[in-house]
Amino acid sequence: MKCIVIDDDPMALKVMERLLKSRIELDAEAMFDSPDKAREWLETNKADLVFLDIEMPGVEGLGFAGDIAHGRMVIFTTAHGEYALDAYGTGAIDYLMKPIDTQRFHQAVDRALEQKRLLDCARKKPQSVITVKSNRRFVRVPTDDILYIEGLKDYLIIHLLDRKIMTRITMNVMAHSLPNERFTRVNKSFIINLDKVESFNTVSVCINSREISIGGIYRADTLAALEPVQNGTLTLRPPSET
């Protein structure tokens, strides 16, 4: 798996170089002391995984992660624990505190390798049954039984009619694992099964009596997927405010 490291601290780069050499599955393509150099490199080169420092001069790491995350996994490295919640909200694989503990590094890499395996399988063929890890066991979940999937910090909760399954993978990996024609992401924290929608308008959907909001950047795709074809087109208007 190809990876790069972005950190303005020379000592931190040396530590990461040593850690990366301990994992034969990782191919360290480049080490960068500035995000601008990394961004330029990424325009013409491939990286599956990015180790990214959150605080660098003139750059906000969380925002930068969003810019480069398309098709890439991100593991944050930082000395500042207060960013953890926001970091997981970006869909990051993991969050490593400096000085980086060797065992935690290996745990983070294992997670990234597992997510890449799942993502590669999903890209080849979306399944009618997905397999997720929950409570130290692998659980097979028929996609027909899924109502919706909810993001909760660094976990996902798969809501079924009769139970919930908690698993530790990212929204992006889950989205690629599901049939595109039946599932869609409606906001940063929810993927829904279109077949389970009981009612909807331009701002929310209702599934199993739960109202789920439709985010602005997801609205057009969500409504296009939900809109019935009846004698032409159906024009939806926002609900009136009272």
Side-chain angles (χ1 to χ4, degrees), residues 119 122-128 130 143 171-185 191-195 221-222 224-226:
L119 189 55
R123 283 171 174 164
K124 291 176 183 177
K125 184 181 179 181
Q127 301 295 317
S128 59
I130 60 172
T143 56
M171 274 285 190
N172 287 337
V173 170
M174 179 60 75
H176 281 96
S177 301
L178 297 166
N180 291 335
E181 70 277 6
R182 294 181 50 224
F183 289 84
T184 192
R185 192 165 179 176
I191 297 171
I192 66 167
N193 185 339
L194 295 165
D195 294 338
D221 288 343
T222 300
L226 286 168

Side-chain angles (χ1 to χ4, degrees), residues 21-237:
K21 286 180 179 178
S22 69
R23 295 299 298 252
I24 61 174
E25 309 97 326
L26 299 181
D27 182 8
E29 293 288 300
M31 316 281 281
F32 298 99
D33 59 9
S34 82
D36 289 338
K37 294 177 183 177
R39 192 195 305 272
E40 183 178 353
W41 185 89
L42 287 169
E43 289 177 358
T44 55
N45 295 274
K46 178 183 177 182
D48 303 300
L49 175 63
V50 179
F51 291 89
L52 175 63
D53 184 19
I54 284 186
E55 284 206 344
M56 289 176 284
V59 177
E60 197 278 308
L62 295 174
F64 181 77
D67 293 340
I68 65 168
H70 305 292
R72 304 182 183 98
M73 296 176 288
V74 174
I75 295 176
F76 285 109
T77 61
T78 181
H80 304 275
E82 64 269 21
Y83 294 111
L85 185 60
D86 290 335
Y88 283 120
T90 68
I93 294 293
D94 214 330
Y95 184 95
L96 298 176
M97 288 290 298
K98 298 177 181 178
I100 297 173
D101 177 76
T102 301
Q103 183 177 355
R104 279 288 294 116
F105 168 79
H106 289 304
Q107 289 174 349
V109 170
D110 288 341
R111 283 197 68 200
L113 290 169
E114 175 64 12
Q115 298 238 18
K116 186 176 187 303
R117 184 189 69 79
L118 291 171
L119 189 55
D120 287 345
C121 290
R123 283 171 174 164
K124 291 176 183 177
K125 184 181 179 181
Q127 301 295 317
S128 59
V129 175
I130 60 172
T131 302
V132 298
K133 192 173 184 179
S134 181
N135 294 326
R136 300 183 180 180
R137 295 181 65 86
F138 289 99
V139 181
R140 288 170 56 82
V141 184
T143 56
D144 285 345
D145 295 346
I146 298 173
L147 299 175
Y148 53 88
I149 297 162
E150 178 181 6
L152 182 66
K153 196 178 178 182
D154 54 332
Y155 287 86
L156 298 184
I157 302 175
I158 303 173
H159 291 260
L160 311 176
L161 191 60
D162 59 344
R163 60 189 171 124
K164 300 176 184 178
I165 299 171
M166 182 174 288
T167 185
R168 194 174 183 181
I169 63 175
T170 67
M171 274 285 190
N172 287 337
V173 170
M174 179 60 75
H176 281 96
S177 301
L178 297 166
N180 291 335
E181 70 277 6
R182 294 181 50 224
F183 289 84
T184 192
R185 192 165 179 176
V186 295
N187 61 45
K188 187 172 72 172
S189 302
F190 281 86
I191 297 171
I192 66 167
N193 185 339
L194 295 165
D195 294 338
K196 306 298 184 180
V197 174
E198 298 165 348
S199 63
F200 68 97
N201 54 35
T202 57
V203 296
S204 67
V205 299
C206 184
I207 298 178
N208 198 34
S209 300
R210 177 165 184 177
E211 189 169 6
I212 301 170
S213 63
I214 303 173
I217 64 173
Y218 301 94
R219 182 165 291 122
D221 288 343
T222 300
L223 295 180
L226 286 168
E227 184 176 316
V229 179
Q230 294 181 353
N231 300 321
T233 60
L234 174 66
T235 301
L236 294 173
R237 295 179 176 80

